[in-house]
């Protein structure tokens, strides 16, 4: 999603660098957040990209949220 927002190849994004260092600006964060919500079906907090400043950290958080949602479904 970060690569798409930046218009570069997936391999051109260093997932360990802060998003601001790879070129994501404040306007892009809105589009990125919307894209991630569409891709995951989650309602993500607007502060997600500030609390988890790298692509790797955002990915890990989304995986955790998806796993928590799956656990809740199984418990129902």
């Amino acid at each position: 999603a970060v690569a798409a927002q930046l218009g570069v190849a997936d391999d051109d994004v260093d997932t360990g660098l802060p998003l601001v260092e790879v070129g994501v600006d404040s306007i892009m964060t809105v589009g990125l957040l919307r894209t991630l919500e569409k891709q995951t079906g989650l309602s993500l907090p607007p502060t997600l990209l500030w609390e988890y400043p790298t692509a790797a950290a955002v990915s890990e958080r989304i995986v955790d949220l998806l796993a928590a949602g799956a656990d809740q479904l199984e418990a129902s």
Side-chain angles (χ1 to χ4, degrees):
V2 172
Q5 194 65 226
L6 293 170
V8 299
D10 291 350
D11 293 341
D12 291 340
V13 176
D14 185 337
T15 60
L17 287 177
L19 294 172
V20 295
E21 287 186 26
V22 296
V24 176
D25 63 24
S26 59
I27 302 288
M28 290 178 176
T29 61
V30 174
L32 182 55
L33 193 61
R34 287 184 182 151
T35 298
L36 293 172
E37 287 180 326
K38 286 179 186 177
Q39 290 177 342
T40 63
L42 296 170
S43 178
L44 300 170
T47 57
L48 177 75
L49 302 175
W50 300 113
E51 293 172 7
Y52 301 89
T54 67
V58 170
S59 296
E60 289 175 24
R61 179 62 180 148
I62 288 174
V63 167
D64 290 344
L65 291 170
L66 290 170
D71 289 346
Q72 287 179 353
L73 285 175
E74 289 177 9
S76 304

